Amino acid sequence: MAFSFEIDKTAEGGGRRGRLTLPHGVVETPVFMPVGTAASVKAVPQDVLEEIGAGGKGAQIILANTYHLYLRPGHELAGRMGGVHRFMSWERPMLTDSGGFQVFSLSGLRKVTPEGVEFRSHLDGSKHFFSPEHSMDVQIALGADIAMVFDECVEHPASYERTRESMGLTHAWARRSKDHFENHKERVPWFEALGGDTQRLFGIVQGGMYVDLRKESAERLVEMDLPGYAIGGLAVGEPREVTREMIARTLEFLPKDKPRYVMGVGYPDEIEEYAKMGVDMMDCVLPTRAGRHGLLFTSTGRLNIKKLEYAEDQRPIDAVCECMVCKRYTRAYLRHLYASGEPLAGTLNSVHNLHFYLATMERIRAELAGVSGKAVS
Amino acid sequence: MAFSFEIDKTAEGGGRRGRLTLPHGVVETPVFMPVGTAASVKAVPQDVLEEIGAGGKGAQIILANTYHLYLRPGHELAGRMGGVHRFMSWERPMLTDSGGFQVFSLSGLRKVTPEGVEFRSHLDGSKHFFSPEHSMDVQIALGADIAMVFDECVEHPASYERTRESMGLTHAWARRSKDHFENHKERVPWFEALGGDTQRLFGIVQGGMYVDLRKESAERLVEMDLPGYAIGGLAVGEPREVTREMIARTLEFLPKDKPRYVMGVGYPDEIEEYAKMGVDMMDCVLPTRAGRHGLLFTSTGRLNIKKLEYAEDQRPIDAVCECMVCKRYTRAYLRHLYASGEPLAGTLNSVHNLHFYLATMERIRAELAGVSGKAVS
């Protein structure tokens, strides 16, 4: 399946209804990608993941974390198993991050040089080194449909100078990522099985909270002519208006005919807002992580299932939700599971939240398809 | 649905192929009951529980623990929710233990008098008191199809004197349990919904590891004319030959036309052995607890999934197993999930083990049905 990105309609606000064709399938955009950190969307079996969301369509694409999979089970092992798709029995599209963000989250455990990043494992303190080239090798072995360039994600807040310097490193690393990826992409484990098709490498725009740096970063990356672009370094603690402004001001400088991806966001109203601004892809741990902590998203707002007020509440989480959890279980039961530390709580809460996110995206796609927008071929 | 127990065939060894009709459905015997401690078979969603086992039939009956549900969410709350069936959305048969065994497991936290047992919650140290009457009230509110008399389970090893004394208490408590149950059984939450049908109360034979006490205990309980009898106080640390002898010697004194239930056993070969000796019902936490600890049961023996030797093993857990886990996932992936502490490990391992137990029972039932045994009406 050759790579392509088609846009059917673009709405006034910039939102696009499109279709991303990847080696492992077609993804309707805008899309939300559940996060399967260590080759598992936490607490959710793959067959359930294939069935949640509006109309039982399931998740179209999931994200897996390069850093975590590099440490366990190891990218070489995953490669020998045929890549992460086959390893975890997920035959639909997949994206891996570059490992950069996670490595940079290991504050105190890392050391950055122009060559790459030395860091210590959060698991056992062992020393490791990631360069752009190594990130590419790891991601090629993992074998997701989409790989990401290795970038530096600057801390927040960061000065203009610090941000510009970091951005320069990101650009140099993007170039090195691309060069290495182009020379080795035929090594993806499923290269022959899929008739010589391979992964695609997306760029990542940095530039912190400075509009001119965001513009510069977008322009430098667009010069590299990558098949898609992410906006990184957001949702790192800045106010939400700043996140939105950075997204809006960066989108201006990204090619309209390529997929645009905002990494690591967000709450349901945020993903809706960004999708309607023209973001095609998003991912976030929030639906699963919040679910494991008892925070549930509904059509009428958030609900903290641990509260005593739900102890005898015989209603479903959300009266209008069609997920398997809302069809079967009461708030009273879900509160009991959570309060009792039952492992089923994590599963059911995550399933509901993921369904809510995917159903939200389905609604947004329908809205964008119905909007009389200009056709972009 | 009126209560009945029918036996189609009895094999040479004593094993019986039968059918137990309960208010919430019919149970093919011999049967293994998965344990849903706190109204959840740990880590396994109810829809999966309805589909595991040979032929996708699912679990026919589950056990819930009175002690745990009494503490959380509380039997009165469960009663107001319509009983545990409705609370957890499990419309098939269910059995509750009496709380006795669990209370007696709280060594150091309990004090036994002829009136009952004072104990401290393992959760918060709060003081509670269980008498036979209270156990009945709790079990009636929980509303399982089968309730159990409140008994004392003697520690192992225990002297003859100590065991006989404890057994006497068990018999007195069984009488008090029955009296209270008979006077209050119409209070079960689904009494009207099921047309005036109600729970049934089973007795529990004690007597430790002394054959003459087992005989005496069986005789005393049979005099109470209860609809079914359990053999309690086994699998408490004694050698397996002793367990088997106690079961064999107790079965002799239990009525052949009533269901016989051995509590809290065992490994797959044990449940097979006991079923073939004429035990109709068994329950055990082993398939789920072992699963959460990475121990898997297969047609060729046990497998400890955490072992390095499975790291790249692309085979299913068990080549001849038809469960959803074996059909989809490799040992390599399951080892990774376990080693990474992924919550999905507990779910998938438990599903496989439960399937193995239920499929084992299905095979035994078929064997017993095929045996040319004498018909017992």
Side-chain angles (χ1 to χ4, degrees):
Chain A
M1 217 177 264
F3 177 89
S4 73
F5 182 58
E6 301 163 277
I7 298 171
D8 296 330
K9 282 202 170 179
T10 299
E12 280 301 314
R16 306 114 62 86
R17 174 67 179 85
R19 193 170 303 96
L20 180 61
T21 301
L22 296 167
H24 286 83
V26 175
V27 173
E28 304 288 329
T29 60
V31 67
F32 177 80
M33 303 184 282
V35 177
T37 310
S40 169
V41 174
K42 281 195 194 303
V44 181
Q46 276 75 316
D47 62 311
V48 174
L49 207 56
E50 287 169 350
E51 287 180 4
I52 53 175
K57 282 190 200 174
Q60 306 183 76
I61 176 171
I62 61 172
L63 179 145
N65 288 121
T66 292
Y67 167 76
H68 289 284
L69 291 168
Y70 160 79
L71 292 178
R72 283 192 309 213
H75 61 292
E76 290 171 342
L77 188 153
R80 288 192 295 272
M81 297 296 102
V84 178
H85 285 97
R86 194 166 153 205
F87 181 60
M88 70 179 286
S89 183
W90 177 259
E91 290 304 323
R92 299 184 184 188
M94 185 184 297
L95 179 149
T96 42
D97 62 4
S98 69
F101 180 76
Q102 249 118 8
V103 166
F104 291 108
S105 304
L106 301 169
S107 66
L109 296 175
R110 61 183 162 85
K111 186 179 151 199
V112 183
T113 66
E115 186 47 34
V117 191
E118 185 180 278
F119 62 95
R120 287 184 181 276
S121 160
H122 74 288
L123 297 174
D124 61 4
S126 56
K127 227 182 246 188
H128 301 267
F129 184 77
F130 257 53
S131 65
E133 291 78 13
H134 186 53
S135 171
M136 293 304 106
D137 287 338
V138 172
Q139 289 187 78
I140 290 167
L142 297 177
D145 297 77
I146 299 171
M148 302 300 299
V149 299
F150 191 66
D151 62 330
E152 187 183 34
C153 179
V154 83
E155 65 280 359
H156 177 80
S159 70
Y160 187 87
E161 283 311 309
R162 161 82 184 109
T163 304
R164 191 170 66 174
E165 195 180 322
S166 167
M167 184 187 76
L169 197 59
T170 280
H171 297 165
W173 286 0
R175 170 64 63 191
R176 284 166 55 191
S177 294
K178 188 188 176 191
D179 290 347
H180 195 83
F181 177 81
E182 290 300 335
N183 288 331
H184 299 85
K185 64 185 178 184
E186 283 81 12
R187 293 187 184 174
V188 73
W190 38 265
F191 184 72
E192 289 183 18
L194 293 191
D197 199 359
T198 189
Q199 305 171 280
R200 297 302 187 287
L201 181 69
F202 281 21
I204 303 178
V205 175
Q206 291 290 351
M209 307 304 158
Y210 303 97
V211 171
D212 65 324
L213 296 183
R214 286 280 168 186
K215 174 176 185 290
E216 185 183 338
S217 184
E219 287 172 349
R220 289 296 81 71
L221 281 154
V222 169
E223 286 167 8
M224 294 183 210
D225 193 27
L226 293 159
Y229 293 99
I231 306 176
L234 294 178
V236 289
E238 77 281 8
R240 182 165 158 183
E241 311 82 71
V242 175
T243 314
R244 185 176 53 234
E245 191 194 350
M246 289 303 131
I247 292 172
R249 301 301 298 276
T250 307
L251 286 175
E252 291 172 24
F253 302 101
L254 290 177
K256 294 211 181 322
D257 60 347
K258 291 187 176 176
R260 289 116 52 119
Y261 163 30
V262 175
M263 308 179 84
V265 294
Y267 282 95
D269 55 331
E270 292 176 292
I271 65 170
E272 175 157 8
E273 181 173 23
Y274 305 151
K276 289 180 173 173
M277 286 164 59
V279 173
D280 305 300
M281 305 165 68
M282 285 170 279
D283 80 273
C284 196
V285 294
L286 196 54
T288 42
R289 183 174 293 167
R292 293 197 306 283
H293 290 91
L295 183 66
L296 301 170
F297 299 104
T298 81
S299 58
T300 55
R302 299 177 205 170
L303 180 159
N304 199 324
I305 200 65
K306 77 179 92 174
K307 285 190 184 168
L308 187 60
E309 66 184 280
Y310 302 122
E312 303 198 20
D313 191 334
Q314 302 245 34
R315 292 173 295 173
I317 301 168
D318 186 345
V320 301
C321 179
E322 309 225 306
C323 84
M324 56 178 273
V325 180
C326 286
K327 278 196 256 181
R328 179 151 198 169
Y329 304 105
T330 62
R331 294 174 178 182
Y333 182 59
L334 294 167
R335 178 187 188 266
H336 164 68
L337 292 179
Y338 185 83
S340 303
E342 282 293 326
L344 190 57
T347 298
L348 298 183
N349 293 346
S350 296
V351 167
H352 168 80
N353 278 350
L354 285 171
H355 177 97
F356 186 76
Y357 269 66
L358 298 183
T360 296
M361 296 310 290
E362 183 76 15
R363 172 174 60 73
I364 295 166
R365 286 193 296 270
E367 284 177 34
L368 291 173
V371 166
S372 60
K374 54 180 173 167
V376 180
S377 66
Chain B
M1 215 176 264
F3 177 88
S4 72
F5 181 59
E6 299 162 278
I7 298 171
D8 295 332
K9 282 200 172 181
T10 300
E12 280 302 313
R16 303 113 63 85
R17 175 68 178 85
R19 194 169 302 99
L20 179 62
T21 301
L22 295 168
H24 286 82
V26 175
V27 173
E28 304 288 327
T29 59
V31 67
F32 177 80
M33 303 183 282
V35 177
T37 309
S40 170
V41 174
K42 284 197 194 298
V44 182
Q46 276 76 317
D47 61 311
V48 174
L49 206 57
E50 286 169 351
E51 287 179 5
I52 52 176
K57 282 190 200 173
Q60 305 183 75
I61 176 171
I62 62 172
L63 179 147
N65 288 121
T66 292
Y67 167 76
H68 289 283
L69 291 169
Y70 160 77
L71 292 177
R72 280 191 310 213
H75 60 291
E76 290 171 341
L77 188 152
R80 288 192 296 271
M81 297 297 102
V84 178
H85 285 96
R86 193 167 155 203
F87 180 60
M88 69 179 286
S89 183
W90 176 260
E91 290 304 324
R92 299 185 185 187
M94 183 183 299
L95 179 150
T96 43
D97 62 3
S98 69
F101 180 76
Q102 248 118 8
V103 165
F104 291 107
S105 303
L106 302 167
S107 67
L109 296 174
R110 64 182 160 85
K111 186 180 151 200
V112 183
T113 65
E115 186 48 31
V117 191
E118 185 181 278
F119 62 95
R120 287 185 181 278
S121 160
H122 74 289
L123 297 172
D124 60 6
S126 56
K127 227 182 247 186
H128 301 266
F129 184 77
F130 256 54
S131 63
E133 291 77 14
H134 186 53
S135 170
M136 293 305 106
D137 286 339
V138 172
Q139 290 188 77
I140 290 167
L142 297 177
D145 297 77
I146 298 171
M148 302 301 297
V149 298
F150 191 63
D151 63 331
E152 187 184 35
C153 180
V154 82
E155 64 281 0
H156 178 80
S159 70
Y160 186 85
E161 284 309 307
R162 161 81 185 110
T163 305
R164 191 170 63 172
E165 196 181 324
S166 167
M167 185 187 77
L169 198 60
T170 282
H171 297 164
W173 287 0
R175 171 62 63 189
R176 283 167 56 189
S177 293
K178 188 189 176 191
D179 290 346
H180 196 83
F181 178 80
E182 291 299 334
N183 288 331
H184 298 85
K185 65 185 180 184
E186 283 79 13
R187 293 186 184 174
V188 73
W190 38 265
F191 184 71
E192 289 182 18
L194 293 192
D197 200 358
T198 188
Q199 304 170 281
R200 295 303 186 287
L201 180 69
F202 280 20
I204 304 178
V205 174
Q206 291 290 351
M209 306 306 158
Y210 303 97
V211 171
D212 65 324
L213 296 183
R214 286 280 168 187
K215 173 176 184 286
E216 185 183 338
S217 185
E219 288 172 348
R220 288 297 83 71
L221 282 153
V222 170
E223 287 167 6
M224 293 184 209
D225 192 27
L226 294 159
Y229 293 98
I231 305 176
L234 294 178
V236 290
E238 76 282 9
R240 183 165 157 185
E241 311 81 73
V242 176
T243 314
R244 186 177 52 235
E245 192 195 349
M246 290 301 132
I247 292 172
R249 300 302 298 275
T250 308
L251 286 175
E252 294 173 22
F253 301 102
L254 291 177
K256 294 214 182 320
D257 60 348
K258 291 185 175 179
R260 288 113 57 115
Y261 162 29
V262 174
M263 309 179 83
V265 294
Y267 282 94
D269 54 332
E270 293 176 292
I271 64 169
E272 175 157 8
E273 182 174 22
Y274 305 151
K276 290 180 173 173
M277 286 163 59
V279 172
D280 306 298
M281 306 166 68
M282 284 170 278
D283 80 274
C284 197
V285 296
L286 195 56
T288 42
R289 183 175 291 165
R292 294 197 305 283
H293 290 91
L295 182 67
L296 300 171
F297 300 103
T298 82
S299 58
T300 56
R302 301 176 204 171
L303 181 159
N304 200 326
I305 199 65
K306 76 180 94 172
K307 285 190 183 167
L308 188 60
E309 65 185 278
Y310 302 121
E312 304 199 21
D313 190 335
Q314 302 245 36
R315 292 174 295 173
I317 301 168
D318 186 346
V320 300
C321 179
E322 309 226 304
C323 84
M324 55 177 274
V325 179
C326 286
K327 279 196 258 182
R328 180 154 198 166
Y329 304 105
T330 62
R331 294 174 179 183
Y333 182 59
L334 294 167
R335 179 187 187 265
H336 164 68
L337 291 180
Y338 185 83
S340 303
E342 282 292 326
L344 191 56
T347 298
L348 298 183
N349 293 347
S350 296
V351 166
H352 168 80
N353 279 350
L354 284 172
H355 177 97
F356 185 76
Y357 269 67
L358 298 184
T360 296
M361 295 310 290
E362 183 76 15
R363 173 174 59 73
I364 294 166
R365 285 193 296 269
E367 286 177 32
L368 291 174
V371 167
S372 62
K374 53 179 173 170
V376 179
S377 66

